[in-house]
Amino acid sequence: MARMSQGPLQDAAVAPVPPRDAAPREATVYAAAPDPGAPAQTGAPPISHARSASSTVAAPAAKAPRNGPVALETPLQFLPGVGPKRAEHLAALGVTTAGDLLSYYPRDYLAYQAEAPIASLVAGSLVAIRGNILQTRMMPGRQRRFEALLEDASGRCVLTWFNPFGITEKVRPGVQLRAIGKVGQYGGRFQMVQPKIDLLQDQSAVPAAARIEAVYGASSGISSPIIGRIVRTNLPALLPLVEEWFAADYLAQRNLTPRREAVRIAHEPVAMEQVQRARRTLAYHEFFLHQAGIAIKRHHQKESHAAMALGSGATVDQRIRALLEFPLTAAQNRVIKQLTHDLGQRRPMNRLLQGDVGSGKTVVALYAMLVAVANKTQAVLMAPTEVLAEQHFITLERYLRNSKVKLDLLTGNQPAEKRRTILAGLETGAIGLVVATHAVLNEQVKFQRLTVVVVDEQHKFGVEQRAAIRARHGAPHTLVMTATPIPRTLAMTVFGDLDVSLIDALPPGRQKIFTRATGTDNRQHVYEFVATRVRAGEQAYVVLPVIDEGASDLTSATGMHQELSTGYLKHLRVGLLHGRMDSPDRQHVMERFRQKLIDVLVATTVIEVGVDVPNATVMVVEHADRFGLSQLHQLRGRVGRGDKPSQCILISDASTEQGAQRLQAMVKFTSGFKIAEEDLRIRGMGEIIGTKQSGHSDFHFADLLLDTALLQLARRDAFHAIAADPRLLTPEHAHLRRAVLARFGSAISLADVG
Ligand code: ADP
Ligand code: MG
């Protein structure tokens, strides 16, 4: 982000104005084209200079006169009202240029009502009152508290100051003053705590009008009012630099204001209704820019012919279905249709497969991979962890037991000999299908012809890894599977460059999972219940947050294994599984659990995803408040996979508010979509996926949780605009093009223009 980057411009001298032809190289894909809409040498260079940290083009150190025209790149200290000291404090807030200042929007607004009689006050409002001080007193106690009683013709109000430095001298009985602050009610009396005051000479002072104060993110070095003053001082000079992306009637149709107007109002609002409209306008612009970037990416993807078209006729279809012991659900069939269509194109598939835990995504992915094999090419299924890779491997092995397809497993921890064999098999094409961890990204790994890549669990497998495998292995068709459903807004933003397929129904015969939350004092009952289920021929998981006791005071998996196998469950076969065990040991334990040689499996979250044992019907989670919501949902998804009713029991003495909220959500909701929404509500957007990935920094005004409709509108508009003018070359798109370049320049052209 601009605020963070110390681009070359910051080191250059005053208000550098690089010539247009000094645009960064990455940008030239767009910028090299004729630019009919650009104003001739306005002195406002593409913002990308300041923004793209990778830009190596140092601006010529042209010295602008101190009162020269201000540009977005002008360093702050040359603006009126700033100076070196304040510039330093602002830089610490990430604001270094005039442009940064312009987009350093208020965090909040305080709406002050017009001066009013005391009797008409309403608790909670921000208002000014005026009157005489009747009396004052200093309250005894450890904290110095000063109270003054203010009276006007209609009533009285107590003014209170803590640590009343400089106040006691001014606020004396008989003084006339105006107090501005938030009205509270305390013991039946109006009260203002820490009000601002204006001493009044006489009654003729004009009443304070209603006004709105913008609250800026401040620091101990520089306060919000000072930042506000700096912004307002410079606003008249800076506003003309704000470019309009859209025509007036376009904006009016959408109930939006011109962009420049919205920026002005954001900094200097007169009424809250204005703020609402400005916020909506700027949110729309944020969404639009983001979506335009996505639309351009998609456009390039669509034009690409880099992939191999994989045919799949009726014979292939029959052969694949014959491997499964069940008919596919309608939802699975629909998705398979979408997949085979995509695979048949030269344009690389880029698809997100969403489906709740247990909805049967693996089979669908297998189908796509077998299409690759049927075309004499290779496929890889990438898993985020070794345990999950092993699980997938076992699952696929079972599906493929009546098939000639050669399947193998590649992880980072295999014996050298085994590894060599696998690598050779991949290079010669002897292995058609491989399940792998990120070890597959290693340079030594060469495929004969890799055409299908399935990535399980997008949340843990970075976007970069996906790009890396694409870069190294040509342009394979990519399918990303996620079991944690993604709220609509995220699907449109973070994953907006992917086509989305949805498995929206579970396989038939699934039983509801009953979820309970309970305290640790109820443990004995819980494990007695587990024992009864085991006696009925079923199996259970017990999940703990840590492997061994160590520094934390949490019960650990090893500790619990010990405790249960000598205590409550001593007559049962209790197994242990965690991530520090060797892979063969782990596989052995899983295999024994699958074969019902283990009744209760005590584990860490290694079993969170992918583990599939339909006979397991009880999931006990200890210290349940320590787990994230999607983690809990995933864990719960390990049961309810067969035809027997299942239970999820969350044990905790919830220590935090959020922890308690998560457990409530688990009890209340079974749908992954609901859970995902709750998660978003409890945690906020930024935390769910990395800030960078969420595009959080792109959205100051836009709210990914609340602005769904606006996002949809902006997405539609942006996709229309790009479809009609993919390179934004028409004059009407000139400003927009500059904005897109400034924001995405290098990323877009590097990734997608060949
Ligand atoms: P996901 O990966 O979406 O969580 P899986 O692919 O692991 O779900 O499938 C969950 C379970 O449902 C597996 O045991 C799988 O064999 C089974 N399954 C998948 N599709 C069907 C279907 N159409 N009919 C019956 N069972 C199915
Ligand atoms: Mg799965």
Side-chain angles (χ1 to χ4, degrees):
M1 244 188 86
R3 286 181 200 150
M4 304 304 167
S5 76
Q6 285 293 326
L9 292 178
Q10 271 78 53
D11 312 328
V14 189
V17 179
R20 293 200 67 83
D21 61 6
R25 250 178 356 107
E26 304 93 283
T28 53
V29 175
Y30 281 80
D35 189 1
Q41 298 291 333
T42 54
I47 311 165
S48 51
H49 279 271
R51 298 219 160 191
S52 72
S54 62
S55 163
T56 50
V57 183
K63 282 231 178 213
R66 187 170 170 126
N67 328 326
V70 75
L72 292 174
E73 293 72 26
T74 306
L76 267 191
Q77 72 258 37
F78 301 106
L79 296 184
V82 184
K85 199 75 215 157
R86 284 179 175 173
E88 216 170 276
H89 289 308
L90 284 166
L93 294 171
V95 183
T96 57
T97 65
D100 292 346
L101 187 67
L102 199 52
S103 55
Y104 193 68
Y105 295 113
R107 218 167 13 86
D108 201 0
Y109 300 95
L110 298 177
Y112 287 94
Q113 294 168 3
E115 200 172 298
I118 290 172
S120 72
L121 295 183
V122 177
S125 57
L126 290 166
V127 68
I129 51 178
R130 93 161 73 179
N132 282 313
I133 296 297
L134 280 187
Q135 59 185 67
T136 65
R137 58 177 175 171
M138 186 65 83
M139 304 299 286
R142 262 196 299 143
Q143 196 179 24
R144 274 160 55 81
R145 178 152 68 96
F146 178 67
E147 283 189 357
L149 192 60
L150 181 79
E151 183 185 58
D152 72 4
S154 72
R156 291 172 180 187
C157 179
V158 179
L159 310 179
T160 302
W161 286 269
F162 296 97
N163 299 317
F165 183 74
I167 292 290
T168 45
E169 297 84 58
K170 289 186 202 155
V171 180
R172 294 164 178 278
V175 162
Q176 289 200 28
L177 58 77
R178 173 157 53 214
I180 306 157
K182 186 169 183 172
V183 180
Q185 224 153 6
Y186 184 73
R189 251 201 197 163
F190 289 120
Q191 187 188 34
M192 262 186 200
V193 179
Q194 302 294 108
K196 277 178 239 160
I197 53 166
D198 295 330
L199 294 180
L200 304 175
Q201 300 308 323
D202 51 60
Q203 288 296 343
S204 68
V206 193
R211 69 186 176 85
I212 294 177
E213 185 184 317
V215 182
Y216 291 88
S219 68
S220 56
I222 189 161
S223 69
S224 163
I226 290 182
I227 297 173
R229 206 149 60 214
I230 294 170
V231 171
R232 285 191 299 277
T233 305
N234 288 283
L235 211 48
L238 293 179
L239 277 177
L241 302 175
V242 177
E243 294 183 333
E244 295 298 341
W245 302 352
F246 308 107
D249 55 342
Y250 177 102
L251 292 168
Q253 272 165 21
R254 289 160 180 77
N255 193 22
L256 303 168
T257 63
R259 186 162 170 256
R260 188 176 297 172
E261 173 75 0
V263 172
R264 186 184 62 74
I265 291 169
H267 285 297
E268 217 172 4
V270 178
M272 283 314 279
E273 303 80 70
Q274 275 189 327
V275 174
Q276 291 316 322
R277 200 136 169 259
R279 191 202 74 81
R280 199 178 117 84
T281 296
L282 294 170
Y284 175 88
H285 282 75
E286 288 171 356
F287 277 146
F288 187 98
L289 184 59
H290 197 260
Q291 292 299 319
I294 290 172
I296 290 169
K297 258 186 159 172
R298 299 268 301 220
H299 182 80
H300 288 308
Q301 285 167 6
K302 291 228 160 74
E303 286 188 333
S304 161
H305 297 290
M308 179 170 161
L310 303 173
S312 52
T315 329
V316 172
D317 184 70
Q318 275 162 21
R319 259 196 291 156
I320 296 175
R321 285 171 197 269
L323 297 174
L324 310 175
E325 58 223 3
F326 43 73
L328 295 175
T329 63
Q332 286 170 320
N333 278 321
R334 195 188 56 233
V335 172
I336 284 174
K337 216 176 216 158
Q338 294 164 344
L339 293 181
T340 48
H341 172 267
D342 283 7
L343 294 173
Q345 314 294 311
R346 299 274 315 272
R347 149 165 62 96
M349 174 171 81
N350 233 327
R351 199 167 268 283
L352 176 70
L353 175 55
Q354 283 197 60
D356 211 339
V357 188
S359 62
K361 295 181 295 296
T362 313
V363 190
V364 170
L366 176 65
Y367 193 109
M369 295 189 286
L370 289 176
V371 170
V373 177
N375 282 268
K376 309 231 167 342
T377 63
Q378 294 162 296
V380 61
L381 170 55
M382 304 220 280
T385 66
E386 224 171 285
V387 177
L388 183 53
E390 285 160 11
Q391 287 313 305
H392 274 315
F393 176 67
I394 293 167
T395 307
L396 296 191
E397 245 185 348
R398 261 189 300 143
Y399 284 126
L400 296 175
R401 66 185 165 237
N402 295 322
S403 138
K404 286 189 302 246
V405 174
K406 181 86 173 65
L407 170 75
D408 220 321
L409 172 71
L410 179 69
T411 68
N413 285 326
Q414 288 163 314
E417 182 60 24
K418 168 93 179 133
R419 185 177 168 80
R420 263 196 298 280
T421 324
I422 297 171
L423 293 190
L426 292 174
E427 194 159 1
T428 60
I431 297 173
L433 216 165
V434 65
V435 181
T437 58
H438 57 268
V440 80
L441 296 176
N442 193 296
E443 313 216 322
Q444 298 166 351
V445 184
K446 296 190 183 73
F447 287 85
Q448 199 220 3
R449 184 76 168 97
L450 178 66
T451 57
V452 170
V453 174
V454 178
V455 181
D456 197 10
E457 286 311 305
Q458 168 70 14
H459 287 71
K460 290 183 187 151
F461 216 101
V463 178
E464 305 85 43
Q465 277 117 326
R466 214 161 23 104
I469 200 156
R470 224 184 284 145
R472 286 206 41 235
H473 303 287
H477 298 285
T478 309
L479 180 68
V480 175
M481 300 199 284
T482 173
T484 309
I486 299 167
R488 276 187 68 71
T489 46
L490 278 190
M492 285 189 276
T493 52
V494 181
F495 301 100
D497 63 329
L498 302 169
D499 294 306
V500 179
S501 288
L502 182 64
I503 303 184
D504 52 6
L506 298 179
R510 285 292 165 75
Q511 300 287 321
K512 192 174 149 53
I513 305 170
F514 298 95
T515 304
R516 283 182 283 160
T518 187
T520 48
D521 51 354
N522 210 18
R523 245 198 199 126
Q524 185 176 349
H525 288 116
V526 171
Y527 289 108
E528 276 166 6
F529 173 75
V530 167
T532 63
R533 294 328 306 159
V534 170
R535 276 196 288 278
E538 299 165 18
Q539 290 165 285
Y541 300 99
V542 178
V543 173
L544 292 108
V546 291
I547 297 177
D548 29 51
E549 236 76 332
S552 85
D553 54 356
L554 300 176
T555 317
S556 68
T558 44
M560 190 49 111
H561 176 249
Q562 178 72 18
E563 193 180 323
L564 289 178
S565 43
T566 56
Y568 297 136
L569 304 181
K570 63 170 176 270
H571 302 297
L572 306 181
R573 296 163 298 178
V574 182
L576 175 67
L577 184 77
H578 60 71
R580 277 217 313 271
M581 289 162 57
D582 285 345
S583 161
D585 289 350
R586 273 197 317 248
Q587 291 189 32
H588 182 64
V589 170
M590 270 320 295
E591 202 41 49
R592 281 163 48 83
F593 188 63
R594 211 183 312 278
Q595 290 172 11
K596 303 185 194 168
L597 299 173
I598 291 174
D599 302 313
V600 177
L601 187 58
V602 179
T604 55
T605 53
V606 290
I607 62 154
E608 185 184 322
V609 279
V611 172
D612 185 19
V613 178
N615 192 51
T617 59
V618 185
M619 167 62 67
V620 179
V621 184
E622 292 270 2
H623 295 295
D625 58 317
R626 296 303 183 108
F627 295 87
L629 202 40
S630 74
Q631 240 178 347
L632 289 173
H633 182 63
Q634 294 283 358
L635 286 170
R636 177 167 61 184
R638 295 314 106 205
V639 296
R641 301 195 143 229
D643 49 9
K644 302 189 194 92
S646 294
Q647 313 266 343
C648 174
I649 305 167
L650 307 170
I651 302 181
S652 85
D653 297 322
S655 48
T656 65
E657 175 64 20
Q658 283 208 1
Q661 281 186 28
R662 287 196 291 270
L663 300 189
Q664 274 165 26
M666 285 296 294
V667 171
K668 203 158 146 207
F669 303 113
T670 48
S671 139
F673 282 91
K674 273 281 179 226
I675 297 278
E677 268 171 24
E678 274 302 290
D679 201 20
L680 204 57
R681 197 183 60 71
I682 296 172
R683 282 201 294 165
M685 190 66 66
E687 267 195 48
I688 291 213
I689 27 186
T691 307
K692 202 172 139 210
Q693 217 189 51
S694 71
H696 213 53
S697 49
D698 284 339
F699 304 125
H700 178 89
F701 291 98
D703 184 323
L704 282 178
L705 194 52
L706 300 177
D707 291 328
T708 321
L710 192 65
L711 169 55
Q712 247 157 334
L713 177 68
R715 180 173 172 86
R716 196 200 64 195
D717 289 343
F719 274 70
H720 273 164
I722 299 302
D725 183 11
R727 304 193 140 210
L728 296 173
L729 291 177
T730 61
E732 58 170 308
H733 285 148
H735 294 311
L736 183 57
R737 196 176 90 229
R738 270 198 289 279
V740 167
L741 265 178
R743 170 62 186 78
F744 298 104
S746 59
I748 281 184
S749 51
L750 282 180
D752 300 298
V753 181

